[in-house]
Structures are given as structure tokens and as C-alpha cells.
């Protein structure tokens, strides 16, 4: 794609329509990059051993199953809003690497959460556990399935690094922080679930570093860095952390009250896995009975939902989300970007915070 200099993103000359065309084109190039990359890897391993393609195929299936592509979208928007060149293949590589990292996290997350469904389909560890059992292979089916899923997730992690290595070197510092924060955040999430102690401060911290920074803040800054606009880092960080927290809180509400047919994953998983979300933390401060409803056998997610509604906490979380979106949008009000991109980031904040899946 060649972009006329008068409509170059970030110059202030582009219209909303041209902005969307450029963004959509880049997102399609990310899809093409992911597919071509995985296709080449499959062809390479097919020459080695027929079993070797199984892990690549499992990864390809999950990538092709859909997803919101939120991280690539924010990375691309950060770059374009900063005046980056849409013809630079480096931004496509960075965005594709972010999506591949996300796929790695999803696969590992499903093992950690013992989730049987992702994007409306069986999770990787479920598929391979069932394959092991149906074929009468040696060993324990569950252990095999989870082992394969860990390896497929690791493969995605390796591929994410290979993709981002083709991005501008300016993104590397942000990329390294993003990966370490995601892993540390996952650990804190697991530890908080095991302890199951009421600590809203910790719940917000987990939401921030496990989801908020990794989903919005750092992808945005990576995009701006690729465009050579380090001056936007502070505004994008404040925007990203606020909107990222709102994104995670919406995820918590969808888990508690959403429709699994729409979300593509089991409802009430945070209850069964004892995840100490801000929603649960606030509710347990008001109603001690909620702890026993979650931790003691014999209670259903429906009972927990009714009790949560009785506390009034879901409405408080909704108000908190609205405040976070407002805070995020205020953070970019004076940022040195064209109005059309400020409007787009405002729209993206609303879409992230008020999605239904």
C-alpha cells in the first residue's frame, strides 16, 4: 500500500474514512503475516517428521479461530497516530508478534484455569487429552494434554519473539517489559487465587499488569516508539493503564454475568478458580457469605451471581469503568496527535470497556 504524503497518518490531513482504510489494511496485513509465517513453519517441519507439524497446526488453528486482535489494533493505532509510515513492514511485524504472544498466553491461561473452551471451541489441552484417551496411548491423558498445550504455548512465545525481532529496534525495551509483566502478573493471579484473601489493592495491581498494560498501554507505546515518537509515551501510558484496567474489569463482569455463547468461554470460571478479582474483593468486603459460596462445595454460580447483585458491587464496578474511560480519554486530550486519532482512541476506549465478549 502506498500512502500519499498529504494523507499520511499523524499529519492532521487525513479524514476519518482514510484513517479507517489505512488501519484496516494494516490489520489485514497482520493476518496475512501470521498465516504466511505459520504456513512456512509447517512446511519446514513437514520435511522433518510428520508428527512435528502437529504443534504448529494446533497453534495455527487457534490463530485462525478469530479473536478481537485488540493488541495489534492498539499497536497500529499508536504508530499511525504518531505519524508512522504505514508502508513500514516493521509495524506489521510488531503487531503480529503481539498477537502471537497473546495466543501463547491464552493457551497457558486455559491450562492454569482448567478451561475447556476458548472462542467457542475446545481448548488445546482438552483436544489433546481427548485424543490421547481415544487412541489408548500410554500415560495419563490429562497430563499429556496439558503438556502438549504448554509446549504449543511455548512455541507461540518463541514465534512472537521472532516476529518482533523484525520490528524497529526502538520497540524492544517496551516489548521486554510487556513480556515480563505478563508473566509476573499471571503468577500473582495464581497466587491470589490460592490465598483467596480480600485485597482490592492486589486485585487492581493484577488487573493492571496482567491485562491493562499488556493489552493497551504497552502496545500503544510500542507503536509510537516504532514511529520515533517517544514524547507520546507518558500520555499513552496514562490512557492505556486506565482503559486497560477498564478492559479487565469488563472481562470480570462478563465472566460473572456474561453469556458463554457470546463470550466463547465458560461462564463463572473466576468463581470455580477462586480468582480474586476486584469485583469479588469488593463484594466480599460487604458480604462475608460470598466466600463460602465460592469455596465450599454444593453451591452454584447462579447463587454467587444473585449474592453479588445483592451487594450492589456490579453497579460500583460499572461506575468505576466509566471513570476509568473518562480518565483515559482525558489523558490524550492535549497529546500531540491529530484530532482524528484522538477521536479514534476515544472510540477504541469505549469499545474496549463496553464490549459484550
Amino acid at each position: 500500500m502506498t500512502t500519499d504524503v498529504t494523507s499520511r497518518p499523524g499529519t492532521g490531513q487525513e479524514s476519518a474514512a482514510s484513517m479507517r482504510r489505512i488501519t484496516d489494511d494494516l490489520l489485514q496485513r497482520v493476518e496475512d503475516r501470521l498465516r504466511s509465517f505459520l504456513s512456512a513453519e509447517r512446511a519446514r517441519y513437514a520435511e522433518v517428521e510428520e508428527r512435528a507439524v502437529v504443534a504448529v497446526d494446533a497453534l495455527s488453528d487457534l490463530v485462525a479461530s478469530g479473536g478481537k486482535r485488540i493488541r495489534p489494533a492498539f499497536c497500529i493505532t499508536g504508530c499511525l497516530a504518531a505519524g508512522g509510515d504505514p508502508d513500514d513492514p516493521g509495524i506489521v511485524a510488531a503487531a503480529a508478534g503481539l498477537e502471537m504472544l497473546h495466543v501463547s498466553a491464552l493457551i497457558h491461561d486455559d491450562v492454569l484455569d482448567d478451561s475447556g473452551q476458548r472462542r467457542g471451541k475446545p481448548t488445546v489441552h482438552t483436544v489433546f487429552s481427548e485424543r490421547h484417551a481415544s487412541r489408548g496411548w500410554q500415560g495419563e491423558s490429562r497430563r499429556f494434554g496439558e503438556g502438549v498445550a504448554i509446549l504449543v504455548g511455548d512455541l507461540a512465545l518463541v514465534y512472537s519473539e521472532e516476529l518482533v525481532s523484525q520490528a524497529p529496534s526502538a520497540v524492544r525495551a517496551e516489548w521486554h517489559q510487556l513480556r515480563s509483566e505478563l508473566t509476573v502478573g499471571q503468577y500473582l493471579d495464581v497466587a491470589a487465587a490460592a490465598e483467596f484473601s480480600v485485597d482490592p489493592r492486589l486485585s487492581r495491581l493484577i488487573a493492571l499488569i496482567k491485562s491493562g498494560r499488556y493489552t493497551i498501554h504497552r502496545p500503544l507505546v510500542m507503536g509510537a516508539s516504532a514511529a520515533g515518537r517517544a514524547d507520546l509515551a507518558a500520555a499513552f501510558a496514562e490512557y492505556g493503564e486506565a482503559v486497560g484496567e477498564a478492559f479487565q474489569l469488563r472481562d470480570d463482569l462478563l465472566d460473572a454475568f456474561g453469556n458463554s455463547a457470546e463470550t466463547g468461554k465458560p461462564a463463572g470460571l473466576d468463581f470455580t478458580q477462586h480468582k480474586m478479582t476486584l469485583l469479588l474483593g469488593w463484594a466480599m468486603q460487604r458480604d462475608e457469605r460470598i466466600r463460602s459460596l465460592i469455596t465450599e462445595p454444593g453451591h452454584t454460580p447462579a447463587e454467587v451471581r444473585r449474592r453479588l447483585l445483592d451487594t450492589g458491587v456490579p453497579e460500583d464496578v460499572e461506575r468505576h469503568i466509566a471513570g476509568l474511560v473518562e480518565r483515559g480519554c482525558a489523558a490524550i486530550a492535549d497529546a500531540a496527535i491529530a484530532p482524528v486519532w484522538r477521536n479514534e482512541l476515544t472510540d477504541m476506549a469505549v469499545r474496549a470497556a463496553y464490549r459484550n465478549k
Side-chain angles (χ1 to χ4, degrees):
M1 179 187 70
T2 301
T3 305
D4 186 280
V5 69
T6 60
S7 62
R8 175 71 59 80
T11 63
Q13 300 299 313
E14 69 276 9
S15 67
S18 66
M19 173 205 70
R20 287 287 167 82
R21 282 195 300 271
I22 295 168
T23 303
D24 289 346
D25 179 82
L26 279 167
L27 285 171
Q28 184 57 54
R29 285 165 59 190
V30 170
E31 295 297 319
D32 295 343
R33 183 74 183 98
L34 290 167
R35 282 199 298 268
S36 64
F37 180 91
L38 290 169
S39 178
E41 284 297 294
R42 191 188 196 284
R44 182 160 72 96
Y45 282 108
E47 295 179 357
V48 176
E49 157 66 45
E50 63 180 18
R51 294 178 183 82
V53 303
V54 172
V56 180
D57 285 345
L59 179 53
S60 299
D61 288 345
L62 185 53
V63 170
S65 68
K68 295 179 283 294
R69 305 299 195 245
I70 287 177
R71 292 148 197 87
F74 274 104
C75 181
I76 287 168
T77 301
C79 180
L80 297 180
D85 182 359
D87 293 328
D88 181 0
I91 190 58
V92 173
L98 282 164
E99 185 62 24
M100 193 68 79
L101 176 65
H102 180 53
V103 171
S104 171
L106 292 181
I107 296 170
H108 287 163
D109 218 24
D110 288 338
V111 173
L112 291 169
D113 293 345
D114 194 23
S115 177
Q117 192 179 53
R118 170 69 65 180
R119 295 175 179 169
K121 298 180 179 180
T123 51
V124 173
H125 69 274
T126 301
V127 168
F128 283 94
S129 293
E130 292 175 352
R131 184 177 301 181
H132 182 282
S134 67
R135 297 182 183 182
W137 288 345
Q138 298 299 308
E140 183 184 346
S141 295
R142 178 189 176 100
R143 188 172 180 83
F144 175 80
E146 292 181 346
V148 171
I150 289 170
L151 293 171
V152 173
D154 286 348
L155 185 63
L157 183 63
V158 170
Y159 286 161
S160 73
E161 178 64 23
E162 185 171 342
L163 286 162
V164 175
S165 71
Q166 300 160 25
S169 59
V171 310
R172 304 293 294 176
E174 208 70 27
W175 169 247
H176 291 317
Q177 287 196 67
L178 181 155
R179 291 190 304 160
S180 62
E181 282 175 343
L182 172 60
T183 304
V184 170
Q186 290 281 46
Y187 165 73
L188 291 174
D189 194 33
V190 170
E195 296 170 14
F196 205 59
S197 58
V198 178
D199 188 349
R201 181 202 61 82
L202 179 59
S203 297
R204 290 192 67 184
L205 177 64
I206 292 170
L208 180 61
I209 67 174
K210 174 178 175 275
S211 183
R213 289 179 182 166
Y214 143 74
T215 301
I216 299 176
H217 164 193
R218 299 213 184 275
L220 259 180
V221 176
M222 282 177 64
S225 298
R229 291 289 304 279
D231 60 293
L232 290 172
F236 280 179
E238 188 174 350
Y239 167 94
E241 292 201 1
V243 178
E245 185 182 351
F247 175 88
Q248 181 57 47
L249 291 175
R250 177 61 56 198
D251 206 50
D252 297 342
L253 287 169
L254 287 171
D255 181 89
F257 302 104
N259 184 336
S260 60
E262 293 181 353
T263 63
K265 54 187 178 181
L269 201 60
D270 287 347
F271 303 155
T272 59
Q273 295 300 313
H274 303 159
K275 292 297 181 74
M276 185 46 71
T277 63
L278 187 64
L279 170 68
L280 284 179
W282 279 354
M284 286 166 58
Q285 284 182 324
R286 297 184 187 180
D287 186 348
E288 295 180 357
R289 176 62 176 157
I290 290 174
R291 171 185 286 275
S292 60
L293 286 176
I294 293 174
T295 59
E296 295 175 4
H299 300 290
T300 66
E303 290 180 89
V304 181
R305 291 187 192 100
R306 286 195 296 271
R307 201 83 179 195
L308 285 173
L309 290 170
D310 288 343
T311 66
V313 165
E315 290 88 347
D316 289 345
V317 172
E318 288 285 5
R319 283 190 287 271
H320 188 50
I321 288 172
L324 288 166
V325 171
E326 184 177 349
R327 193 183 96 201
C329 293
I332 58 169
D334 298 320
I337 58 177
V340 68
W341 290 106
R342 188 174 294 108
N343 292 340
E344 176 63 8
L345 284 168
T346 298
D347 289 345
M348 291 175 76
V350 172
R351 293 198 298 270
Y354 293 101
R355 70 194 191 283
N356 63 357
K357 62 181 179 178

